Every structure is written in C-alpha cells, then in structure tokens.
Amino acid sequence: KETIIGVRVPRMRAYAKALWKQAPETARAFLEALPHGYYEENCLHGLLIGVLSETADEALRLIDRFLPYIDNWATCDALRPKAFKKHPPALPDECRRWIKSGETYTVRFGIEMLMTHYLDADFRPEYLEEVSIIKSEEYYVNMMIAWYFATALAKQYEAAVPYIEQRRLAPWTHNKTIRKAIESYRITDEQKAYLRTLAIRE
C-alpha cells in the first residue's frame, strides 16, 4: 500500500492523453525514466506507451524496456499499444518470445496480445496450441489462459472446443475457462449447456 497513491485508472488515462498533447517531450522523458516508485507511475507508463507508440518498432522497444518492471495484473492489462491494431507481421513471433520468457506478467502480456489481436480475421489454429501448452503455477498466468480460451470459444468455437473436450488445459484453468465462457453473451445457450457437461468434477 505504500506504493499506491490512489488515482483511478480513468483519470490516469485522461492524463496520459493530455500529457502527450501538451508536453510530448515530458511524456517521452518519463518513458525513459525507469524504474518508477509508485503503482500509478507504472500504470501511466503503460498508458503512455499506448498513446505514444506510433509504430510497431517503437512500441516493441518501449514494451521490452518496461515489461521487467511490471509487477501486477492491472499495469499489465493497461498496456495496449495502438500500433498493434495494424497487426504488424512480427507481432506473433514477439508474442511467442514473451510467452516463453517465464516471467509472470511478460507471459500474461504475450497471451493477452494473442487474445486481443489474433482471434478474429488473423486467427490461426496454432495459436491455440501455443497457449494450451503453457505450464505455470502463477495465478495471473493461468487466469489469462482461461480468459484467452473463453474468448476463443466465443470467437472461434469449433477450433477451441476440442481443447476443452480433450481436457488439454490444467484442471483449474479448464474449469475457469468454462465458467468464464458461460458468463459470455457471445456463447449460445446450447453451447453453454454443452460446456457445463465438460467441467471437471473434483
């Protein structure tokens, strides 16, 4: 608690946009000033990367500098570079690199980028396989795996459901995936009823 000031994320998001417009040099200098001391500084840092990174190369440079300092899920999930919306060709390989890092929030970020950018038109079945084989004892990694597969069930049901039918995920992650999926309005009632039958009973 000594590292938390108490500024809410919507205020920080608005401040990040204002800082970029009013004092871009200050914003860029802040991004080079690592490590930070406060939770809000780290959140602001992630939000600024989203605002400032105009190219994928710049975003990747800033992200790789920042990822080792992320120590909580909220800062990790605030890191959403706008440059990645264009789906740069190198991004899937970067996601693989992050996933293989072994660092909790770097792994989480890699999975989140696959979930955010590669479950629609640019989806490939091998991405499901790459996420399914991740083995971790970390809650925030396993929760992201569940979130990824629940979203995959909503967007790529036919490709994703065999991973649940075949119990390819760890039991806790398997059940969490089903729970999150049946809470989604994008999953049909018929699919929800079927997914309930696949839960692992302990």
Side-chain angles (χ1 to χ4, degrees):
K1 64 183 181 180
E2 290 80 7
T3 65
I4 298 175
I5 299 169
V7 184
R8 295 185 179 275
V9 172
R11 293 290 299 274
M12 288 190 285
R13 185 172 288 114
Y15 181 67
K17 293 178 180 178
L19 185 62
W20 166 234
K21 290 180 179 179
Q22 298 169 15
E25 292 184 3
T26 300
R28 290 190 180 279
F30 177 78
L31 289 177
E32 299 301 326
L34 286 167
H36 302 303
Y38 289 96
Y39 160 77
E40 284 84 356
E41 289 180 301
N42 281 325
C43 280
L44 177 62
H45 194 117
L47 293 168
L48 280 173
I49 289 175
V51 175
L52 294 180
S53 51
E54 298 173 354
T55 68
D57 286 345
E58 181 182 28
L60 288 169
R61 182 187 72 82
L62 292 171
I63 286 166
D64 279 337
R65 269 197 92 236
F66 183 48
L67 281 173
Y69 298 98
I70 297 178
D71 62 0
N72 66 87
W73 69 266
T75 300
C76 181
D77 294 1
L79 191 55
R80 297 288 185 94
K82 290 183 179 179
F84 289 174
K85 290 182 179 181
K86 299 177 182 179
H87 298 181
L91 185 54
D93 285 337
E94 298 297 335
C95 290
R96 293 183 181 102
R97 178 170 63 85
W98 293 323
I99 285 170
K100 293 177 181 177
S101 73
E103 299 297 326
T104 299
Y105 295 104
T106 301
V107 175
R108 182 181 173 95
F109 178 72
I111 300 169
E112 186 178 5
M113 290 300 97
L114 284 178
M115 179 183 73
T116 301
H117 299 293
Y118 295 98
L119 282 177
D120 295 299
D122 292 315
F123 169 73
R124 293 183 182 178
E126 58 260 37
Y127 298 151
L128 294 170
E129 179 67 20
E130 290 166 4
V131 175
S132 75
I133 62 176
I134 298 170
K135 305 300 179 188
S136 177
E137 299 296 323
E138 294 290 342
Y139 173 87
Y140 289 107
V141 171
N142 290 325
M143 182 61 81
M144 180 55 72
I145 295 171
W147 186 8
Y148 173 86
F149 271 95
T151 306
L153 286 166
K155 294 187 172 186
Q156 303 289 344
Y157 182 83
E158 295 302 325
V161 74
Y163 287 83
I164 308 304
E165 293 172 329
Q166 299 166 18
R167 298 187 175 185
R168 300 280 299 280
L169 308 177
W172 184 92
T173 309
H174 174 101
N175 284 343
K176 185 64 70 172
T177 296
I178 292 172
R179 180 176 176 181
K180 292 178 76 67
I182 63 179
E183 292 172 352
S184 172
Y185 66 89
R186 296 176 293 184
I187 302 285
T188 69
D189 289 342
E190 183 180 14
Q191 290 169 341
K192 290 178 182 179
Y194 178 57
L195 288 171
R196 287 188 178 95
T197 71
L198 300 177
I200 296 174
R201 311 298 177 185
E202 298 181 0

